Amino acid sequence: MPLISAQNITAGFADKTLFADASFEIQKGERIGLIGANGVGKTTLFKLILRQLEPMEGRLIIPEFTKIGCVEQHTCSDFTVTAYEEVLKVYDDVAAMERELERLNAALAAGDPDPALLERQETLRERFEARDGLTYRARARSALTGLGFTLEETDANVGILSGGQRTKISLAKLLLSGADLILLDEPTNHLDTESVEWLENFLKKYTGAAIIISHDRYFLDRTTEKTMEIEGGRFFFTKGNYSVYHALKQERILTEQRENEKIEKEIKRLEAMIEQQRGFNRERNFITIASKEKQIERLKKDLHETVRAKGDMKLSFPVASESGNEVLTVNRLSKGFGDKQLFADVSFFIKKRERIFLLGPNGCGKTTLLRILMNQLTADSGSILYGAGVRTGYFEQTQNALRSNKTVLAEVYDAFPTMSVPEIRSILAAFLFRGDDIDKHMDALSGGERAKIALLEIMLRGCNLLILDEPTNHLDIGSREVLEDALSAYEGTVICVSHDRYFINRVATKLLYFHGSEIKTLDGNYDTYLAVRDGIVNEQQKPDKEKKSDYLQKKEAEKAARMRQSRLAKLEREIAEADAQEQRVQDELNNPSVSADYVRITELSKALAALHEKQEALMEEWVKLSEE
């Protein structure tokens, strides 16, 4: 029996429907990633499951036996208890069983022969052990340690802890609650990388079901086995993690677009026939017109509401002028604050078109290093030398410079006064600022909206070196993917700090990672870093033969990729030509002078069928090559 069953539910508010006619089931042990753009209804779905809202239509069936847990909004109401004692509250029932077992053991040890005591002891011991009674104290401490608490913080009163730490306490209580289904809303937001990895490992072993809202695609890949997306008021489901869902979604969109194109062509053909019939102006022609109009209405219902690029911001980073090959040389750089040394004697060299990511725990000095590169802070020692023609664009993590009472339009116009207002409006629309959005005040924007304005201004400057500090922090998944594509196609150089491991994997060509007060260099992406960190490979110790083999394999892979791209381009030309031929045949079929020529109509119909077959074969090969 499912933990939850939704039957044709519709949810929203009086003036807005978020999603409609949604049906799904949540089974025991399933771990589901819930994704979708901001505002589509993910949090609303959680509220429906928690009975904080009721669906506008349909039924949400939650059996009485289903125990649901979520992170509490207001946890730690007693500020006098320690973090450890607060987490132990989730085991209050276990502690009660433990106390009763102690009383029973004492009574039996004193010689009480009552058989009922022995029976009660056995029953209670089974329940106690099933509820982690033998290890519950260790599990409570382990959860806090895994979420980044030091021994001192574990034993500190919650009243002196930060809001983020209290949220972690609530998360620890949820994970240990023994709920049949837990609801996690952006659980990685306040966690460093080590805590996120602990949470991933915990969820892999977790026997209950979980629904996880997250923009962290790497986290979703490692913790979920099913994906549910809310998009365009509809629910889409796939077995598999985020990456599996994303690949299948691209295939679905491509298929739907091709089907839409065929339907739209057929609609145009029918509309042309209607115009032709109107010209004859006879009664039987009006009957034909009515029939064709009904066909058009039916075809329009078959059109897919495919999510096209218009739902994503349009982003690219053009380079106004090329830099030299040597972009940045850092030599023996050191920086500290008071008694704390962040890094010392750091040297590295960056070449044109490298995409460098800085990795390291919170507080190690990544943002400090970027601010030194931007001349906002002074190093204690060492030197920085930029190469010839380098023009930098800086994305600041806090975006404090964009917190003003200017409107969105005024902010961009003041930064680029040589541009016309219509040009700025057009660019803002490409970043999804449309209508009244451009009159919003900057200090009223969300973090994601400010991030888009910052990226827009960097784009317009045409810089050839981008220095980016956590650029994905406030972006939804769709915007992150647009940014990834833009950076991957960028002809300049990138230096970036990010905790988004999926983003790093897609964009990075090289890593600088903090190791104590040192910074080490590594070619590759985040998965390369993990392999080196965990001792699976050691890039620096590869034998020369293996390095040569790697080089040859890389050259072969590059050759294969070039051949694949060449074939794809040829296929696209052939598909376009087949489409054009089909249009020419269709135009001739629609010509009134041909309508009475049965032989010619037969020839054209055969030609059209052959073209359709050719198009299908070309498209099938194109899809196959695109997925490789």
Side-chain angles (χ1 to χ4, degrees):
M1 187 175 182
L3 298 174
I4 290 178
S5 178
Q7 299 177 355
N8 306 107
I9 61 170
T10 296
F13 309 99
D15 59 340
K16 182 181 181 182
T17 298
L18 293 172
F19 51 82
D21 202 31
S23 298
F24 59 87
E25 290 184 345
I26 309 297
Q27 303 291 344
K28 292 180 180 179
E30 284 188 325
R31 288 186 294 280
I32 299 164
L34 177 58
I35 62 174
N38 295 334
V40 296
K42 301 187 297 293
T43 301
T44 296
L45 179 61
F46 273 15
K47 289 180 178 179
L48 290 172
I49 292 171
L50 293 167
R51 298 297 195 201
Q52 295 172 0
L53 290 175
E54 289 297 324
M56 297 164 68
E57 295 177 15
R59 298 175 64 207
L60 189 64
I61 302 168
I62 304 176
E64 288 186 6
F65 68 79
T66 301
K67 181 182 177 184
I68 299 172
C70 67
V71 173
E72 301 167 28
Q73 287 279 4
H74 305 288
T75 190
C76 312
S77 55
D78 184 357
F79 284 3
T80 64
V81 300
T82 66
Y84 171 64
E85 289 167 340
E86 181 66 32
V87 173
L88 275 183
K89 288 179 181 179
V90 80
Y91 288 114
D92 279 350
D93 60 322
V94 182
M97 285 188 276
E98 187 176 47
R99 290 190 296 271
E100 186 177 352
L101 276 172
E102 288 172 355
R103 289 195 296 270
L104 290 170
N105 293 338
L108 290 168
D112 190 331
D114 187 350
L117 290 180
L118 282 170
E119 185 177 347
R120 173 62 178 162
Q121 182 195 47
E122 185 62 26
T123 302
L124 198 59
R125 182 181 290 114
E126 289 178 3
R127 286 175 52 202
F128 180 72
E129 292 178 2
R131 187 70 174 86
D132 300 320
L134 300 177
T135 59
Y136 76 96
R137 289 185 175 85
R139 286 169 66 83
R141 284 199 177 275
S142 175
L144 287 169
T145 302
L147 291 170
F149 281 77
T150 64
L151 182 61
E152 291 76 14
E153 289 167 341
T154 298
D155 293 327
N157 287 352
V158 295
I160 66 170
L161 298 178
S162 68
Q165 287 173 314
R166 291 176 201 165
T167 300
K168 287 183 183 181
I169 290 172
S170 184
L171 177 58
K173 291 171 70 175
L174 171 62
L175 297 174
L176 300 173
S177 66
D180 302 297
L181 170 66
I182 57 174
L183 307 178
L184 297 171
D185 192 347
E186 296 292 354
T188 65
N189 269 4
H190 298 286
L191 304 183
D192 58 22
T193 301
E194 288 183 1
S195 299
V196 171
E197 289 181 355
W198 175 87
L199 180 57
E200 288 168 351
N201 291 328
F202 182 97
L203 289 172
K204 283 177 186 176
K205 299 171 187 174
Y206 185 65
T207 57
I211 305 177
I212 304 168
I213 296 173
S214 181
H215 289 115
D216 188 335
R217 294 157 293 169
Y218 199 92
F219 178 76
L220 290 172
D221 271 357
R222 290 172 65 91
T223 58
T224 62
E225 57 198 10
K226 187 175 180 180
T227 301
M228 181 161 61
E229 180 172 24
I230 307 174
E231 188 173 61
R234 295 186 294 167
F235 276 63
F236 297 90
F237 304 89
T238 298
K239 287 184 178 179
N241 59 21
Y242 174 80
S243 289
V244 171
Y245 175 79
H246 181 68
L248 292 173
K249 178 183 177 180
Q250 300 312 303
E251 184 179 326
R252 168 174 62 81
I253 289 174
L254 181 62
T255 301
E256 289 182 356
Q257 285 174 338
R258 295 296 296 179
E259 289 174 356
N260 278 0
E261 287 171 9
K262 289 181 180 179
I263 292 170
E264 286 164 355
K265 283 183 181 179
E266 180 62 11
I267 289 172
K268 285 182 181 178
R269 186 183 76 82
L270 292 170
E271 287 173 342
M273 289 180 68
I274 288 171
E275 286 303 311
Q276 181 190 63
Q277 294 293 322
R278 283 198 176 114
F280 296 142
N281 199 26
R282 295 173 185 168
E283 185 178 345
R284 69 168 179 261
N285 300 123
F286 291 120
I287 294 171
T288 302
I289 288 170
S291 173
K292 298 303 179 188
E293 286 176 340
K294 286 181 180 178
Q295 279 184 257
I296 289 173
E297 288 305 311
R298 285 196 295 269
L299 285 169
K300 285 181 177 178
K301 289 178 182 178
D302 290 336
L303 284 169
H304 298 282
E305 293 181 10
T306 307
V307 178
R308 295 179 174 85
K310 66 181 181 181
D312 293 324
M313 66 176 178
K314 314 296 188 297
L315 176 63
S316 64
F317 294 106
V319 173
S321 60
E322 294 262 341
S323 70
N325 191 52
E326 297 180 0
V327 172
L328 176 64
T329 303
V330 172
N331 187 42
R332 306 194 70 175
L333 206 67
S334 298
K335 183 64 179 177
F337 293 97
D339 295 332
K340 183 177 181 181
Q341 184 73 38
L342 291 178
F343 47 83
D345 207 26
V346 167
S347 299
F348 56 86
F349 172 66
I350 295 175
K351 295 184 293 185
K352 183 167 70 174
R353 292 188 184 143
E354 286 186 320
R355 298 193 294 272
I356 312 293
F357 277 71
L358 271 65
L359 303 185
N362 293 340
C364 68
K366 301 186 295 296
T367 295
T368 297
L369 178 57
L370 295 191
R371 293 186 67 194
I372 291 172
L373 297 181
M374 290 301 300
N375 204 30
Q376 293 182 358
L377 284 176
T378 304
D380 296 338
S381 61
S383 64
I384 297 167
L385 178 64
Y386 282 103
V390 173
R391 295 177 58 185
T392 60
Y394 181 43
F395 181 98
E396 188 181 3
Q397 184 179 160
T398 59
Q399 299 303 329
N400 285 328
L402 296 178
R403 298 174 189 270
S404 69
N405 62 358
K406 291 181 183 179
T407 65
V408 169
L409 181 62
E411 165 62 33
V412 181
Y413 184 78
D414 288 351
F416 302 94
T418 60
M419 293 182 66
S420 69
V421 170
E423 284 178 316
I424 293 173
R425 283 178 176 273
S426 176
I427 291 168
L428 284 169
F431 278 69
L432 308 184
F433 289 91
R434 303 185 178 107
D436 294 339
D437 291 339
I438 66 172
D439 295 321
K440 287 182 179 177
H441 287 267
M442 293 299 299
D443 52 10
L445 297 183
S446 68
E449 289 171 324
R450 264 193 296 273
K452 288 177 182 178
I453 295 296
L455 291 170
L456 181 156
E457 292 188 358
I458 290 172
M459 179 185 83
L460 292 176
R461 289 192 179 100
C463 306
N464 53 37
L465 170 61
L466 303 183
I467 298 179
L468 311 174
D469 193 359
E470 297 288 3
T472 66
N473 262 7
H474 298 288
L475 299 180
D476 59 26
I477 288 178
S479 298
R480 291 181 190 206
E481 289 172 349
V482 170
L483 176 59
E484 287 162 1
D485 291 340
L487 290 176
S488 297
Y490 179 52
E491 294 294 320
T493 308
V494 178
I495 304 173
C496 184
V497 169
S498 179
H499 284 97
D500 187 334
R501 297 163 294 172
Y502 200 99
F503 176 62
I504 299 169
N505 262 354
R506 280 203 64 196
V507 179
T509 62
K510 192 173 183 179
L511 304 176
L512 298 175
Y513 64 98
F514 282 73
H515 185 75
S517 61
E518 299 179 75
I519 295 180
K520 296 188 174 184
T521 304
L522 178 67
D523 290 329
N525 59 15
Y526 189 80
D527 284 344
T528 313
Y529 165 73
L530 281 186
V532 171
R533 187 196 70 178
D534 297 340
I536 299 170
V537 298
N538 188 334
E539 185 69 25
Q540 284 72 28
Q541 295 180 3
K542 278 189 177 181
D544 290 340
K545 280 187 179 180
E546 189 176 343
K547 288 183 178 178
K548 186 175 181 181
S549 173
D550 284 353
Y551 173 77
L552 293 174
Q553 287 177 9
K554 182 180 178 183
K555 299 301 287 184
E556 285 296 320
E558 288 173 351
K559 181 181 177 182
R562 285 195 300 271
M563 292 175 66
R564 175 174 157 274
Q565 287 298 327
S566 176
R567 179 58 184 157
L568 277 170
K570 186 177 179 183
L571 283 169
E572 286 166 3
R573 290 193 298 272
E574 290 178 2
I575 290 169
E577 177 57 29
D579 287 345
Q581 289 176 12
E582 181 191 20
Q583 188 61 53
R584 288 194 291 270
V585 173
Q586 195 70 63
D587 289 345
E588 189 173 351
L589 270 171
N590 293 336
N591 191 328
S593 65
V594 178
S595 60
D597 188 343
Y598 174 75
V599 175
R600 184 56 181 157
I601 287 174
T602 302
E603 290 173 350
L604 291 171
S605 297
K606 286 181 179 178
L608 199 59
L611 282 169
H612 283 161
E613 189 175 336
K614 181 180 180 181
Q615 286 172 316
E616 290 296 329
L618 291 170
M619 199 62 213
E620 186 177 343
E621 185 180 355
W622 186 90
V623 170
K624 186 177 178 181
L625 276 175
S626 297
E627 291 174 348
E628 289 179 0

